[in-house]
Amino acid sequence: MAMRPPSSGSFFGGLRARELSGGRGSSARASAARLHYLSDLSSDPGGRGSGVISVEHDGDPAIPFAVSFCKAALVSRLLAVADEDGYVSLYDTRRRLPSRSSSLEKSAETRLSDWVAHNNAIFDVCWIKEGSQLLTASGDQTVKIWSVENRKCLGVLSGHTGSVKSLSCHSSNPELIVSGSRDGSFALWDLRCDPKAPNGHGEACLTSSAVVKEAHSPVRKSRTRSRAKGASTSITSVLYLKDDISIATSGAADNVVKLWDTRNLKAPVSNKTSQSTAQPSKEGVTHGVSCLSQDSYGAYIAASCMDNRIYLYSALHMDKGPIKCYTGSKIESFFVKSAISPDGTHILGGSSDGNIYLWQVDQPELGPIVLKGHEGEATSVDWCALEVGKIVSSSDDTTVRVWNTKKIDCTNISSPTVIRKRVTAPKIECPRSASHERATTSRDVPACNSAGGELPTSSHSPLRPRVLEFGTPESAKKRAYSLFQEEALETRNSPGGQTDSPSSVLNPPPSLKRKTIRDYFASSTS
């Protein structure tokens, strides 16, 4: 069967060529020699920025459950690993990491630090406050706040009656946290609140500011009792969306992604199944969602479903259901996670077959790139926010692998500019003014609507339509300043602007000068 030749000018094209050739033969070696970063894709050889980390404590191996790169710019290389024994370990991924054969004997020297955070398994970790603090969600039904510098517990978030499975931080206010639990509830926390009396270990305890119970309870169609009630009502993932007022949740009981408005938590504002575009499954069979993730711009939400598919949603059009579907991996447990890249161009996913899968967001039909190396179920994955091409994965084989492609040419991969075109509101004919330009770059949408626009404009919607500006804060400032200069220039050149400008008051144009008594005398004498 004839296959379309891959595009050699892109990172994905190079990976595709390497995968099809199987990494064998002179042509494969020549290709790797020309594109040397492809030879560094495997994490097994070890080296600076890539390698294999063996998770163990005092010689006893531990299965890692959660991995997370720090999101702060200065320390984005730091990696936090949480395991089933309740330990948190920190690693510097820019150091020379060992290979698989030497990972166990070099595990201690590879670590920056580790400590016992809980007396139970840790299911999720979350960096906050520019990497100075770390949140841990545990099977002991609590969330703890840790100082990364001295490994001291700063507070305990208590109130859940089941294992805490997921954490997410507010995108602009690190004091606001949402957690999801196996008890079927998700809770909102404000770290600025005064703690109550300390617990028996002298740790300050905080209570939640709001709780939503039975957020994903299954609909009972019969009177038969469910033996897996705890698992069926569990919250598997929570996500604070980039609009700063909405929360997305998923559960083990259904294939539904729910959106909640934090200003009114009585009922979800959106309740969409993740299988609306997929092939229908057996009647009455539902598949839970193991993980939710979003890109750094808030344009997309990716949901890993237990039907072995990953579904992609547009954050501005959640009412339309999933817009793309990605297949190839095996998601047979709720420990298998996925993560969309910060720029929204790729999706990284673990798999029950031990492989790591990498999809291109815009072209799911091409299938995934398969990264081999793990010897057990590949579970948690994450992207390094600032080092393009660096990813991490954990596995039941008690190892964490750091993959680094080093040099990447993404000229043929969809850029954030392309994504912006898809999520930007339709063009509307409105009078151009400086105030209108300022409105389009703010969080709120301008107060002018088109009859044919598809974006919701109701004030009750948590996903208020807005133009997403992709770029650094510096570039946004420059763009806003240039727009202001253009508007000022147009205003000065217009007749009305010449009259109203400060310079026109001191030196008005001849046609608009007000006549004085001297002018009348001059006209009479002439």
Side-chain angles (χ1 to χ4, degrees):
M1 182 178 65
M3 292 181 293
R4 181 176 60 86
S7 57
S8 59
S10 68
F11 164 58
F12 232 80
L15 291 182
R16 177 65 61 187
R18 182 174 185 264
E19 185 188 45
L20 294 177
S21 64
R24 296 183 296 271
S26 59
S27 61
R29 287 192 295 269
S31 175
R34 289 193 304 270
L35 302 175
H36 59 277
Y37 61 88
L38 291 179
S39 62
D40 295 326
L41 180 63
S42 173
S43 62
D44 188 58
R48 192 168 300 279
S50 63
V52 182
I53 298 171
S54 182
V55 182
E56 60 84 27
H57 308 284
D58 298 327
D60 296 327
I63 297 177
F65 281 169
V67 292
S68 178
F69 277 111
C70 183
K71 304 305 182 285
L74 296 179
V75 286
S76 62
R77 65 185 184 277
L78 294 184
L79 173 66
V81 178
D83 58 52
E84 65 172 347
D85 291 340
Y87 279 82
V88 172
S89 304
L90 300 182
Y91 301 88
D92 186 348
T93 58
R94 287 186 183 175
R95 288 185 174 182
R96 183 172 295 276
L97 301 178
S99 62
R100 182 67 176 97
S101 58
S102 61
S103 60
L104 186 58
E105 62 178 290
K106 294 183 178 180
S107 61
E109 63 183 78
T110 305
R111 281 193 305 264
L112 291 178
S113 63
D114 67 335
W115 69 94
V116 179
H118 297 266
N119 293 323
N120 207 316
I122 300 176
F123 297 107
D124 200 7
V125 291
C126 179
W127 295 85
I128 61 173
K129 298 185 179 180
E130 297 297 319
S132 63
Q133 295 180 11
L134 195 67
L135 300 174
T136 55
S138 173
D140 63 7
Q141 305 178 4
T142 66
V143 175
K144 289 188 177 182
I145 313 168
W146 295 94
S147 169
V148 174
E149 182 179 4
N150 54 26
R151 304 186 296 277
K152 180 181 179 181
C153 182
L154 304 178
V156 180
L157 313 183
S158 59
H160 284 297
T161 58
S163 301
V164 185
K165 307 293 289 187
S166 179
L167 288 171
S168 184
C169 176
H170 193 278
S171 61
S172 59
N173 187 349
E175 305 288 350
L176 301 179
I177 308 296
V178 58
S179 61
S181 172
R182 197 173 184 269
D183 60 14
S185 70
F186 69 89
L188 302 180
W189 311 82
D190 190 338
L191 305 185
R192 297 166 297 187
C193 295
D194 295 331
K196 59 181 183 180
N199 58 15
H201 301 284
E203 301 167 334
C205 294
L206 285 79
T207 56
S208 59
S209 56
V211 178
V212 175
K213 297 182 179 180
E214 299 182 352
H216 284 264
S217 296
V219 179
R220 296 184 179 180
K221 297 183 179 180
S222 62
R223 295 183 179 180
T224 59
R225 293 183 178 180
S226 173
R227 295 182 178 180
K229 181 179 179 181
S232 64
T233 60
S234 173
I235 299 294
T236 57
S237 186
V238 292
L239 203 60
Y240 237 126
L241 300 189
K242 301 299 182 180
D243 65 354
D244 294 341
I245 59 173
S246 302
I247 291 174
T249 63
S250 64
D254 50 31
N255 54 354
V256 175
V257 177
K258 294 185 178 181
L259 289 188
W260 307 79
D261 189 334
T262 55
R263 299 167 298 184
N264 183 10
L265 293 171
K266 293 182 179 180
V269 296
S270 179
N271 193 345
K272 287 299 175 182
T273 175
S274 62
Q275 292 178 284
S276 59
T277 60
Q279 296 179 356
S281 58
K282 296 180 181 180
E283 185 177 357
V285 177
T286 58
H287 302 278
V289 176
S290 66
C291 178
L292 298 176
S293 65
Q294 63 180 336
D295 61 294
S296 60
Y297 310 113
Y300 295 134
I301 298 175
S304 295
C305 191
M306 295 291 288
D307 63 353
N308 298 325
R309 294 181 176 93
I310 298 177
Y311 298 91
L312 186 71
Y313 296 84
S314 170
L316 296 180
H317 300 283
M318 291 293 292
D319 56 326
K320 295 183 179 180
I323 57 177
K324 292 183 186 298
C325 176
Y326 306 87
T327 59
S329 63
K330 294 182 179 180
I331 307 175
E332 298 176 354
S333 77
F334 288 103
F335 292 99
V336 177
K337 311 293 184 181
S338 67
I340 189 170
S341 62
D343 60 359
T345 60
H346 297 85
I347 292 179
L348 179 69
S351 179
S352 298
D353 60 10
N355 297 327
I356 303 298
Y357 292 83
L358 184 65
W359 292 268
Q360 191 172 355
V361 166
D362 287 343
Q363 295 179 309
E365 66 278 0
L366 294 182
I369 298 298
V370 182
L371 308 181
K372 297 180 180 293
H374 285 298
E375 300 174 0
E377 183 177 66
T379 52
S380 181
V381 294
D382 196 19
W383 297 80
C384 184
L386 294 182
E387 296 185 43
V388 179
K390 178 179 286 189
I391 57 179
V392 64
S393 60
S394 64
S395 172
D396 287 353
D397 62 5
T398 69
T399 65
V400 171
R401 287 180 176 256
V402 179
W403 316 73
N404 196 345
T405 56
K406 294 184 179 178
K407 295 182 180 180
I408 299 178
D409 179 14
C410 299
T411 55
N412 292 336
I413 299 176
S414 297
S415 63
T417 305
V418 178
I419 301 176
R420 177 173 60 182
K421 292 179 181 179
R422 290 196 296 270
V423 300
T424 301
K427 287 187 177 181
I428 304 168
E429 295 298 330
C430 297
R432 189 180 181 188
S433 64
S435 60
H436 171 70
E437 293 292 345
R438 288 193 298 270
T440 58
T441 57
S442 66
R443 293 186 181 273
D444 299 323
V445 77
C448 49
N449 305 321
S450 65
E454 297 179 353
L455 296 178
T457 56
S458 172
S459 59
H460 301 286
S461 174
L463 294 174
R464 294 172 292 179
R466 62 193 187 278
V467 177
L468 299 180
E469 291 292 341
F470 298 92
T472 61
E474 290 77 10
S475 62
K477 292 179 181 179
K478 293 178 180 179
R479 187 163 53 248
Y481 182 71
S482 62
L483 290 173
F484 175 80
Q485 286 183 322
E486 291 176 7
E487 294 294 342
L489 182 60
E490 292 180 4
T491 305
R492 287 198 301 267
N493 293 337
S494 62
Q498 293 176 355
T499 306
D500 298 332
S501 65
S503 61
S504 65
V505 176
L506 300 177
N507 187 22
S511 60
L512 298 178
K513 285 185 178 180
R514 183 176 300 174
K515 289 187 177 183
T516 64
I517 189 67
R518 181 175 297 181
D519 295 326
Y520 285 104
F521 278 107
S523 60
S524 61
T525 56
S526 60

